[in-house]
């Protein structure tokens, strides 16, 4: 028959093993963080046709303004205003959600690592606009 000390040692051993198992499982589940890297080139490739389309729409609006008797200067103002509004809208819909995964809008990088990630994102975006990967 086992003494009280023997049972106490077995109980303490089981408690230590249980605690160690819990810590290992907790640490392993904590390492599964979601990847926040955004493919800037893919965003650029997706946005490029939208920019061209908004520019085309702006030229059409300018031509309509000119046809309605506005001055060339007035039609050019329509061109600029229409293009800006449409491309901002397209950027907000297609690009901004990806960009905000790296850094919130209207903020500065919080550290050199985030700055490097934003630089890489912007360079990739520029590459994608040109059709690169």
């Amino acid at each position: 028959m086992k003494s009280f000390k023997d049972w106490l040692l077995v109980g303490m051993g089981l408690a230590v093993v249980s605690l160690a198992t819990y810590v290992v499982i907790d640490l392993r589940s904590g390492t599964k963080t979601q990847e926040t890297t955004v493919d800037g080139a893919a965003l650029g490739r997706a946005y490029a046709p939208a920019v061209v389309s908004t520019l085309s729409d702006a030229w059409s609006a300018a031509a309509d303004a000119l046809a309605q008797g506005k001055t060339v200067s007035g039609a050019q103002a329509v061109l600029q205003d229409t293009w800006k509004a449409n491309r901002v809208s397209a950027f907000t819909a297609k690009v901004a959600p990806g960009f905000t995964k790296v850094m919130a809008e209207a903020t500065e990088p919080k550290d050199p690592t985030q700055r490097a990630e934003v630089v890489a994102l912007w360079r990739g975006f520029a590459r994608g606009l040109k059709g690169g990967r």
Side-chain angles (χ1 to χ4, degrees):
M1 179 170 207
K2 293 196 179 226
S3 70
F4 177 73
K5 283 184 179 179
D6 292 335
W7 285 112
L8 185 61
L9 286 173
V10 169
M12 287 175 52
L14 287 173
V16 168
V17 169
S18 298
L19 180 62
T21 302
Y22 173 78
V23 168
V24 168
I25 289 171
D26 190 45
L27 288 175
R28 293 185 94 204
S29 66
T31 59
K32 294 178 184 176
T33 58
Q34 223 175 22
E35 190 74 23
T36 59
T37 304
V38 176
D39 186 352
L43 287 175
R45 285 190 305 276
Y47 180 61
V51 170
V52 172
S53 178
T54 62
L55 182 57
S56 172
D57 293 344
W59 275 100
S60 293
D64 291 344
L66 195 59
Q68 293 168 1
K70 287 201 176 194
T71 64
V72 170
S73 178
Q76 287 174 336
V78 168
L79 169 73
Q80 293 301 317
D81 294 343
T82 303
W83 190 36
K84 181 178 181 180
N86 290 350
R87 77 175 183 261
V88 166
S89 177
F91 185 90
T92 301
K94 294 185 177 292
V95 180
F99 274 29
T100 57
K101 288 179 183 177
V102 175
M103 185 175 69
E105 277 189 69
T107 62
E108 290 292 322
K110 62 183 176 200
D111 56 31
T113 301
Q114 188 180 38
R115 181 175 297 277
E117 192 174 2
V118 171
V119 167
L121 175 63
W122 287 15
R123 289 184 198 272
F125 183 71
R127 219 176 25 258
L129 285 171
K130 289 183 178 180
R133 302 215 176 261

